Amino acid sequence: MGSSGSESDSATLRVVLQAEPTSLNPTFSPFSDSRAWGSIFDSLVGFDRQTLQPNEDGLLTGWEQTGPTEWTFDVREDVTFQNGEAFDADAAAFTIKELRDNQASILRGYYSIVEDAQAVDGKLQITTVEPYLAMPTLLTNAYALPPEYYAEVTAEGFAKKPVGTGPYELKSYTSGSEITVVKYDDYWRGEPKLDDIEFTWSAEASSRYALLASGDVDFAIDLLPQDVEKIKSADNLKETSGATTYGLTLFLNTTKGPLRDVELREAIAKTVDREGIVKSLFEGTGAEVSHALIGDILTEEYEVKVERDVDAASALVAAAGNPQIVFGYTSGKFPKDSVVGAAVSGSLEEAGFTVTQRAEEYGAYREQRDENAYDLFMQEITPTYAHPDTYVRYWLGADASVKSCTNEAEYDAYSKEALGASTPEAAEEVYRQLEDQVIGEDYCYVPLTKTVYSYGMSDRVEGFEAPRNASPEYWKLSLD
């Protein structure tokens, strides 16, 4: 990858990401990949990039819960996909059914709540299996697909040549090398300010900084604290940082082994040194202390603080005979994961646990986690969509994809009550009760950190605000 003076003077934004997208089809691809393909698509329901709450600025412009299990959505008019195909209620219904029915859909479990989606008199009508207050928020993570083209090229073909309603359309994709998108002149929000965007990727944060410092890229995502300091002293660079919904969390396995004992789980919760981790390992800038799981995405943030008390933790561990636990965590997948894992292990050993550490490559870690090989495990998590139901469906409930807690029936009861609540305020009160039980009574999860993303950019880049979901809105950017 190189640059010339003429490239630097053009309205081409050169972006370096952390990794190549796993797919350009949102059906198959995790939200983190939207840092590339998000420029091609629009979500059905728009959302505020700071609060992450749904708004009426997207493809669906309003909604009403017309019955306990029925929602009706207004559809934005005069929107076309980049191939000229019209976006309408049928396209919205098709998108939802694809997310629900495709066996490879990463959101299939979430969209199983949908019984039917159809166009009725130009509006989108959704029927759910049971009352589901979170439907507008769920649709913030559904990206409009063109039914005719999708059927023509198949889901797999669409991953190679995607078409959306977004501000940019795919120009080229060289696997392992780069992705280039060009502005879509008929974008419904207005013509984008950038002519095109070139995406490349580098796994090492230091390499991303080096590319930015050398002028080979204009925009670098997720930089190290020491490199952020270098940017602050550079004349031609600038940085912006912001807390995200991503965060490292400990999962305590209550299904087997010594952590079936709630007092040992309490000991772990009282042992970890969040403040020390943030100060020493993230240098006070790459992360913030977290005391929330569900509470982080409520309209008013809610924390359940379990204060550090090593003496009390040590007494609980000693009473249980200083048991041995197997602690699994990733190495090189999430920010500072291996050093945080080692630090947590040190704290646990200080309290009297005998810890067998297993720092694994992500694939091996997931395999061992899913085979229930760990007593305790740690990874970075983020809500798939900004509603507590995403945590219940993936981590907490009886049908959760990853299980570590045995009280899933109680958690599902909380969830059912919240999703059937008459108002969002009533639902949030129930979710606060669930948070109290999960973190402060059952000690199934120990939130550690909230990841802070740092973005470096050329001083020519204008219009950027760090999004809480860590997925930039490139159409708002310009180059001076």
Side-chain angles (χ1 to χ4, degrees), residues 363-374:
Y365 161 82
R366 282 196 62 171
E367 181 178 344
Q368 292 292 300
R369 181 198 71 187
D370 294 346
E371 291 180 355
N372 206 26
Y374 303 131

Side-chain angles (χ1 to χ4, degrees), residues 94-269:
F94 170 82
T95 299
I96 292 167
K97 289 177 180 178
E98 174 67 3
L99 292 171
R100 181 194 65 184
D101 298 340
N102 191 309
Q103 295 294 314
S105 168
I106 63 168
L107 299 178
R108 188 165 179 261
Y110 299 105
Y111 280 86
S112 63
I113 191 68
V114 175
E115 182 174 289
D116 194 20
Q118 59 182 325
V120 177
D121 297 328
K123 297 178 182 289
L124 171 67
Q125 187 177 91
I126 298 175
T127 305
T128 57
V129 175
E130 58 188 19
Y132 193 68
L133 193 64
M135 182 53 66
T137 311
L138 175 61
L139 296 185
T140 63
N141 213 21
Y143 290 83
L145 305 172
E148 294 179 12
Y149 177 72
Y150 201 89
E152 175 187 336
V153 300
T154 74
E156 290 71 24
F158 189 83
K160 300 175 182 178
K161 294 183 178 180
V163 167
T165 64
Y168 294 91
E169 54 187 316
L170 183 68
K171 177 182 179 181
S172 63
Y173 177 22
T174 304
S175 180
S177 180
E178 67 177 4
I179 298 168
T180 300
V181 296
V182 297
K183 68 178 178 180
Y184 176 42
D185 292 332
D186 294 328
Y187 184 48
W188 58 273
R189 282 191 170 106
E191 184 179 339
K193 297 174 183 179
L194 297 170
D195 292 329
D196 44 27
I197 308 172
E198 297 175 356
F199 296 99
T200 53
W201 38 86
S202 176
E204 294 296 327
S206 58
S207 297
R208 295 194 293 276
Y209 165 73
L211 290 167
L212 177 67
S214 66
D216 282 327
V217 301
D218 307 298
F219 193 93
I221 293 177
D222 190 20
L223 299 177
L224 297 171
Q226 58 265 35
D227 291 330
V228 169
E229 292 304 310
K230 296 175 186 175
I231 290 172
K232 289 179 179 179
S233 62
D235 293 333
N236 62 338
L237 301 175
K238 57 186 179 180
E239 68 84 28
T240 299
S241 298
T244 69
T245 56
Y246 293 78
L248 288 172
T249 300
L250 291 178
F251 297 77
L252 285 63
N253 190 347
T254 73
T255 68
K256 66 160 198 172
L259 298 190
R260 287 177 294 182
D261 183 344
V262 67
E263 291 191 342
L264 286 177
R265 301 198 300 272
E266 180 183 355
I268 291 176

Side-chain angles (χ1 to χ4, degrees), residues 402-452:
V402 179
K403 293 184 179 181
S404 62
C405 296
T406 54
N407 284 343
E408 62 262 26
E410 294 181 38
Y411 303 156
D412 280 337
Y414 278 116
S415 178
K416 186 173 183 178
E417 180 182 354
L419 292 171
S422 58
T423 66
E425 293 76 17
E428 291 208 353
E429 175 56 33
V430 176
Y431 284 124
R432 286 191 285 270
Q433 296 172 23
L434 173 57
E435 186 90 320
D436 287 337
Q437 180 167 341
V438 169
I439 296 177
E441 298 174 20
D442 294 342
Y443 302 103
C444 282
Y445 300 91
V446 178
L448 296 175
T449 63
K450 185 186 302 181
T451 303
V452 174

Side-chain angles (χ1 to χ4, degrees), residues 316-333:
L316 293 171
V317 175
N322 300 91
Q324 178 172 336
I325 57 173
V326 177
F327 177 29
Y329 53 90
T330 59
S331 178
K333 173 65 176 177

